[in-house]
Amino acid sequence: MKKYGLLQCILFIGCYMLLNAAYFNIPFNLFSQVLYYHGVVSICADLINLMAPLEQVVATQNHLISAKADLEIVRGCDGAGVLFLIVSAIVVFPAKFGRKLIGLGLGISLIYSINLLRICVLYFVIAYHPDWLQLLHIYVAPTLMVIVGCLYFAWWAFVSTSQLHEPA
């Protein structure tokens, strides 16, 4: 491995570890009462109620609650790991600063949106097919999020480097 490739690898791991450490140092109450409630749970409740008004889902701290289900959003089941992978990869990738900002904005938006969709789907799974929860929550959804994240990064990296190497 070249020196530059090794340095990029070390920086990627370091960036991921810093993001992960910061994430796990956020107090639980801040997560459940502020970040999860305003950034995830209330939005998912609105989306579910928009798609299926009879569900009458209520957002309470880090829970989506209805007569049919109680879905709790907890640390580690919020898409943060995939988000940290994309952010770390973009930060250490050799691209112009402006390209990195665009890549970060699009990547964060993509993972955030997919995670909201994932949580809405998990609500319906718990409400109507609870026997599917383990398979979807533990295996299928995280794998799909990582695949989408990798595909996004590959696309972004290709676009970012192809414009650097085009003839003037």
Side-chain angles (χ1 to χ4, degrees), residues 81-153:
V82 176
L83 182 67
F84 298 160
L85 287 172
I86 289 175
V87 168
S88 299
I90 290 172
V91 165
V92 304
F93 192 80
K96 292 182 179 179
F97 183 73
R99 290 264 169 217
K100 288 184 183 199
L101 286 180
I102 292 169
L104 288 170
L106 291 174
I108 290 167
S109 298
L110 174 67
I111 296 304
Y112 179 70
S113 299
I114 290 172
N115 193 55
L116 292 177
L117 176 64
R118 178 187 71 88
I119 290 168
C120 290
V121 168
L122 289 176
Y123 165 81
F124 285 108
V125 167
I126 288 173
Y128 296 98
H129 297 284
D131 51 316
W132 296 1
L133 180 64
Q134 176 123 0
L135 174 67
L136 288 173
H137 179 253
I138 303 297
Y139 301 105
V140 176
T143 302
L144 288 176
M145 286 186 69
V146 169
I147 289 170
V148 168
C150 289
L151 290 173
Y152 168 75
F153 175 74

Side-chain angles (χ1 to χ4, degrees), residues 49-60:
N49 288 327
L50 182 67
M51 292 184 292
L54 296 177
E55 291 299 313
Q56 298 181 353
V57 175
V58 176
T60 306

